[in-house]
Amino acid sequence: QVQLVESGGGFVQPGGSLRLSCAASGRTVSEVDKGWFRQAPGKEREFVARATWTWAGEGTYYGDAAKGRFTMSTDNAENTVYLQMNNLKPEDTGVYYCALKDRGTSSYAYWGQGTQVTVSS
């Protein structure tokens, strides 16, 4: 059974930082593709970042809103995926989800429960 537990969300002022964690069990994070997504109130879920294996190795990709401000990383020893978010803006407010996808499959099959991020002055 795969379980993902996110933490690290909270309330932060504009310009602040948060680091989200996603502790995984049932899958080894170094052996799967990983992603972060978010959903703001009244909006559709949005891609934030992903780490995907290709023939050239693992690459990390970011959505337009995350480029230059967010960094996705993995601690294989802790089997945990992180999302470091800097220079946060009010439009970053939402529920953030981590997800895992088995390599060779087309969709993320495993999702965490989400962690709330609120950016406001």
Side-chain angles (χ1 to χ4, degrees), residues 9-24:
F11 183 95
V12 64
Q13 292 186 337
S17 298
L18 285 173
R19 188 177 79 153
L20 306 184
S21 301
C22 174

Side-chain angles (χ1 to χ4, degrees), residues 104-116:
T105 63
S106 59
S107 62
Y108 288 88
Y110 313 108
W111 293 81
Q113 82 287 353
T115 185
Q116 175 71 44

